[in-house]
Amino acid sequence: MTVTVIVGTQWGDEGKGKIVDFLAKDFDIVARFQGGNNAGHTVVVNDKKFKLHFIPSGVISGKIAVLGTGMVIEPDAFLKEVKMLEEEGIDTSNIMLSERAHVITEKHKEIDGKDSKIGTTKKGIGPAYADKISRKGIRIIDIIEKYPSIKKFARDTTFEINDAIKNKKNVLIEGAQGTMLDIDHGTYPFVTSSNTIAGGACTGLGIGPTKIDKVIGVAKAYTTRVGEGPFPTELNDEVGKYLLEKGHEFGTTTGRPRRCGWFDAVVAKYAVKINGISELALTKLDVLSGLKKLKIAIGYECNGKVLERMPVNLTNCKPIYEEIDGFEIKDKNKTLEFGYASLPVEARNYIERIEEITKTKVRIISIGPERSDTFIKP
Ligand code: GDP
Ligand code: IMO
Ligand code: MG
């Protein structure tokens, strides 16, 4: 029996959907605890691409898929996603939507991002959470009589999850967004409106902290960010363009180009700390393949001061880099067949340097978007 939480360690789009899908076979339930359709989680299985915004990625593997209490839901958009899955032949009878989750209304979408420079996804997320916190929100329970098509998914998911844990089921919890977009711990105000870190899984699902066994952090082998806000390792040069193009870094939800930059180990260390991450899943290593030199940010210079840990305010912080030799993955299939030892030594050095700085083992390595483009590091 295990309760495992998956979180993004950067600014979102780390490949959480892919990693959740890869792990889902060993779990009975996959649950989301926060956010809404600002999330875009991509799963690719046998060349078929699924873009999920509300429904946890475990649905693809036929697992019980819980949309938890801490989420915000636009009913029509949720039903559209259900329909998309049904058209792809996916079983949707195992989807459970919390009756306590809050509803995103047309009004929320209309006002989203009108008076701010945050660059939101305009899905009504911030306004829906604002109404919830102001105690003016509408919950799923309040609308189910009017939306019978929603009613069949509505459950008291708090009891469903806690009963499953009591009955020794395996529960995988899928975070959305990333650590640096957390409303309390991210780059405020350039953040989303929920707690994206692992602690949010407890409040968002109604489970006690003592029930969580493990937290896995998903990290892209470089960094991306969509929307506005500080991003110390951002590259506005040829390398940034290379990462954007080779990594197909366009938002799953809005199609906006993602800002790209080097791996930021200060961000990674911070994410490990505040999520209680015990192991990392490193994605998109293949995208770095072919670059002669790589850089890892190991500290910042902020207003003349050298820092090795995350400051409260990232504005005016410049990265301090360590340079490391690049690598080339010549034969993806060979790497997948023979695993970690068959990676070029420079690639292993890069991964092991990340492990050293973050004091956290990389356990899962992803070198392509397909479920099968993944291997476990011994
Ligand atoms: P999420 O929001 O964290 O689930 O991530 P997204 O799905 O928004 O963005 C990750 C993108 O990278 C998706 O298009 C994935 O299909 C793709 N992807 C995931 N892992 C890998 C990988 O290891 N290599 C490559 N090339 N693409 C990947
Ligand atoms: P996944 O789950 C990347 C960003 C937006 C904006 C800020 C606030 O796919 O990793 P919001 O609409 O939430 O009020 O926007 O947060 N953002 C994301 N960036 N991935 C996401 O989700 C995101 N969800 C929100 O671009 O900067
Ligand atoms: Mg995404």
Side-chain angles (χ1 to χ4, degrees), residues 29-40:
I29 298 183
V30 183
R32 285 261 316 259
F33 60 93
Q34 44 70 235
N37 55 343
N38 48 348

Side-chain angles (χ1 to χ4, degrees), residues 12-17 38-42 52 177 226 251-253 258:
D13 302 327
E14 297 89 350
K16 298 175 292 294
N38 48 348
H41 295 180
T42 316
L52 296 161
Q177 289 80 54
V226 217
T252 312
T253 300
R258 295 171 182 152

